[in-house]
């Protein structure tokens, strides 16, 4: 069974530029999560989808971050404009009805 | 709100040494508790979990017991190997909010290095 796929694996951009990350969850997993993991810290939930609907985006900085999951499968997370403090690893996870979360390898973003 | 506190790393051990990584939590109600492991260059993988007080989770020689009285979920392994070198995260979920929807609160992680 294929795992959660994410791309790109690495991205370097300058501040004020925009960037987008892509996630393909495990087939059949209705729930999808995006996390931000700053160096030296644990992952922090940004947004949670159930199919193509948002369950929780209370910790998403909506002035610069956006996410969508239009067809209830793939998801895209966008940052526009990026700030230095957005440098982090962005993790995508998906879960089946049992609730266990399966994580992708992450995208490491460096903002210079 | 919910929070998880882990012992600070890094932890460096010799092969076959005994491992303990401390984890305590603050939560309302009766959370489920998890240990995740992150190997270099890879995503987080669930290592073990416990869903109620006094439950013991175990996997790959690792164990952790859900202690409600001390709000702890310490990770232990009797004899570590070089291949156990990774970052370990303690996490909690304070409930199932419907249709595959658990939210996790993570600790900061503890980096373990095992030397031959």
């Amino acid at each position: 069974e294929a795992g959660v796929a994410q791309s790109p694996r690495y991205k370097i951009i300058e501040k004020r530029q925009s960037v987008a990350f892509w996630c393909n969850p495990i087939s059949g997993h209705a729930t999808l999560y995006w996390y931000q993991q700053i160096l030296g810290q644990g992952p922090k939930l940004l947004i949670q989808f159930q199919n193509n609907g948002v369950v929780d985006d209370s910790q998403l900085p909506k002035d610069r971050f956006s996410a969508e999951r239009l067809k209830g499968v793939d998801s895209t997370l966008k940052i526009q404009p990026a700030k230095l403090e957005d440098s982090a690893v962005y993790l995508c996870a998906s879960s089946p009805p049992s609730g266990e979360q399966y994580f992708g390898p992450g995208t490491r973003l460096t903002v210079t | 709100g919910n929070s998880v506190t882990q012992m600070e790393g890094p932890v460096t051990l010799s092969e076959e040494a005994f491992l303990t990584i401390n984890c305590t939590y603050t939560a309302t109600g009766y959370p489920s508790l998890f240990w995740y492991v992150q190997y270099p260059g890879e995503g987080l993988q669930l290592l073990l979990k416990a869903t109620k007080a006094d439950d013991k989770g175990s996997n790959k020689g690792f164990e952790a017991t859900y202690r409600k009285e001390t709000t702890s979920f310490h990770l232990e392994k009797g004899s570590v190997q070089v291949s156990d070198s990774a970052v370990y995260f303690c996490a909690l979920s304070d409930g199932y909010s419907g249709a595959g929807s658990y939210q996790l609160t993570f600790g900061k992680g503890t980096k373990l290095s095992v030397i031959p």
Side-chain angles (χ1 to χ4, degrees):
Chain A
E1 180 184 78
V4 176
Q6 291 188 246
S7 67
R9 291 294 308 275
Y10 305 92
K11 190 74 176 178
I12 300 173
I13 62 172
E14 296 182 351
K15 59 184 179 184
R16 292 186 289 273
Q17 287 186 323
S18 62
V19 64
F21 312 126
W22 174 81
C23 172
N24 188 328
I26 294 173
S27 177
H29 285 191
T31 308
L32 185 147
Y33 309 80
W34 282 102
Y35 290 86
Q36 181 191 58
Q37 184 179 13
I38 293 173
L39 185 65
Q41 298 184 21
K44 184 187 82 170
L45 180 69
L46 292 175
I47 189 168
Q48 177 185 345
F49 291 94
Q50 182 69 24
N51 295 310
N52 61 351
V54 175
V55 174
D56 184 354
D57 64 357
S58 59
Q59 298 192 78
L60 187 73
K62 299 180 188 64
D63 57 333
R64 297 182 301 105
F65 286 65
S66 64
E68 60 184 16
R69 194 184 183 200
L70 293 176
K71 296 183 178 179
V73 181
D74 294 6
S75 178
T76 303
L77 177 70
K78 297 180 181 177
I79 307 175
Q80 182 178 13
K83 293 185 175 181
L84 295 175
E85 60 260 36
D86 298 331
S87 294
V89 176
Y90 291 84
L91 296 167
C92 179
S94 67
S95 65
S98 62
E100 178 181 331
Q101 294 187 27
Y102 295 80
F103 285 81
T107 296
R108 182 177 298 277
L109 173 67
T110 302
V111 182
T112 63
Chain B
N2 298 336
S3 67
V4 176
T5 303
Q6 290 182 235
M7 64 184 285
E8 299 233 352
V11 174
T12 302
L13 295 174
S14 297
E15 208 165 19
E16 299 184 3
F18 184 85
L19 169 70
T20 299
I21 301 178
N22 291 338
C23 171
T24 58
Y25 67 89
T26 301
T28 55
Y30 303 95
S32 295
L33 301 173
F34 306 83
W35 277 101
Y36 280 82
V37 58
Q38 188 173 34
Y39 297 103
E42 298 184 16
L44 278 75
Q45 301 174 25
L46 179 63
L47 181 59
L48 54 84
K49 66 180 181 182
T51 58
K52 60 183 187 296
D54 300 325
D55 268 2
K56 178 185 285 188
S58 62
N59 186 25
K60 299 181 181 180
F62 291 90
E63 293 183 339
T65 301
Y66 188 165
R67 301 288 188 197
K68 184 172 179 295
E69 63 276 13
T70 55
T71 62
S72 65
F73 192 55
H74 304 321
L75 182 68
E76 297 181 336
K77 186 176 186 183
S79 176
V80 295
Q81 306 300 312
V82 172
S83 57
D84 294 326
S85 298
V87 180
Y88 293 81
F89 293 91
C90 185
L92 70 82
S93 173
D94 66 355
Y96 180 71
S97 50
S101 177
Y102 293 85
Q103 291 192 4
L104 293 171
T105 300
F106 286 90
K108 291 186 175 183
T110 303
K111 183 175 182 180
L112 171 67
S113 296
V114 181
I115 55 177

